[in-house]
Amino acid sequence: MKYLLAFFMVSLFILSCKEEKQYSSIDPVNWEKRTIAPSGSDSMIVGSTYLSVYSQIYSQTEHVTHDLTATVSMRNINRADTVYLTRAQYFDTKGNLIRTYFNRTIYIAPMETIEIVIDENDKEGGTGANFLFDWTAATDSQEPHFEAVMISTSGQQGLSFASQGIRLE
C-alpha cells in the first residue's frame, strides 16, 4: 500500500507539470544564421507586403473551426540579385501582434525560398491571421514574392488553398 500511494503521488506530480507549448515556427536559430548587416546603398527600393494566413477556418457553422498548417514562403524571384527582409510580423484575427519572427535584416539569395511554418496546433492566429513583411531590394530587381499555403488532412479527406502577398503603398 505504501508503494502504491508513493506511485500515485509521483504520477500526480508528473501529470500536473505542464510543458509550455513549443511551435516549430518560432525557432530563432534559422533567422540568426541569415542575419546580415544592412548595406546602406542608395540604389535600394523599400517596401512592405501584406499576406493573409489562416491557422483556422470555419467548418459547418460559425461556431466550429478546423485547424490548418500554414507554410509561409518568402521567395526571391531574381536570378542574380539578393533581396533583404527587415521584419516579419504575425498578427491575429483582431489585429493584435502575436510575434515578430525577425526584426534584423536577413537575406534571401537569388532564386531561394525561405519559409515559416505555422503548426496546426498553433491556433493563435485564428481565422483571419496575417503577416506584414518589410523588405529592400535593388532598384532594378524584382520585389520578393510572398505566398502562404494552408493545408489539413483528416482520414481520407484533405483541404488546401493558397494566398499571395499584396504590396502596400
Side-chain angles (χ1 to χ4, degrees), residues 36-49:
I36 190 167
S39 66
S41 173
D42 291 337
S43 62
M44 302 291 273
I45 56 170
V46 176
S48 293
T49 300

Side-chain angles (χ1 to χ4, degrees), residues 19-39:
E19 263 188 61
E20 187 175 318
K21 285 187 180 178
Q22 292 195 2
Y23 303 119
S24 63
S25 61
I26 303 173
D27 184 7
V29 175
N30 293 330
W31 309 123
E32 293 298 323
K33 292 181 209 174
R34 303 191 76 77
T35 301
I36 190 167
S39 66

Side-chain angles (χ1 to χ4, degrees), residues 79-100:
R79 292 181 187 209
D81 293 325
T82 298
V83 296
Y84 304 94
L85 303 181
T86 56
R87 184 169 41 197
Q89 295 178 302
Y90 182 47
F91 296 86
D92 68 13
T93 303
K94 295 181 180 177
N96 300 311
L97 179 63
I98 296 172
R99 67 186 70 99
T100 299

Side-chain angles (χ1 to χ4, degrees), residues 145-165:
H145 179 71
F146 300 93
E147 188 172 46
V149 176
M150 284 64 60
I151 186 168
S152 180
T153 57
S154 178
Q156 294 182 352
Q157 301 258 324
L159 169 69
S160 65
F161 58 98
S163 64
Q164 293 191 1

Side-chain angles (χ1 to χ4, degrees), residues 49-149:
T49 300
Y50 167 87
L51 177 67
S52 58
V53 177
Y54 302 84
S55 56
Q56 295 178 317
I57 58 169
Y58 293 108
S59 178
Q60 299 172 353
T61 74
E62 65 186 72
H63 304 292
V64 179
T65 56
H66 193 81
D67 300 332
L68 303 168
T69 299
T71 302
V72 176
S73 295
M74 299 161 277
R75 299 172 181 262
N76 180 354
I77 60 174
N78 293 286
R79 292 181 187 209
D81 293 325
T82 298
V83 296
Y84 304 94
L85 303 181
T86 56
R87 184 169 41 197
Q89 295 178 302
Y90 182 47
F91 296 86
D92 68 13
T93 303
K94 295 181 180 177
N96 300 311
L97 179 63
I98 296 172
R99 67 186 70 99
T100 299
Y101 282 90
F102 50 86
N103 56 8
R104 290 186 287 180
T105 304
I106 65 168
Y107 69 91
I108 306 176
M111 299 307 296
E112 183 180 25
T113 300
I114 60 174
E115 298 167 331
I116 295 172
V117 176
I118 307 296
D119 297 352
E120 184 173 358
N121 59 355
D122 182 350
K123 303 172 189 176
E124 290 183 85
T127 58
N130 51 76
F131 271 88
L132 282 180
F133 297 98
D134 295 329
W135 50 267
T136 60
T139 305
D140 57 346
S141 67
Q142 298 290 323
E143 299 175 0
H145 179 71
F146 300 93
E147 188 172 46
V149 176

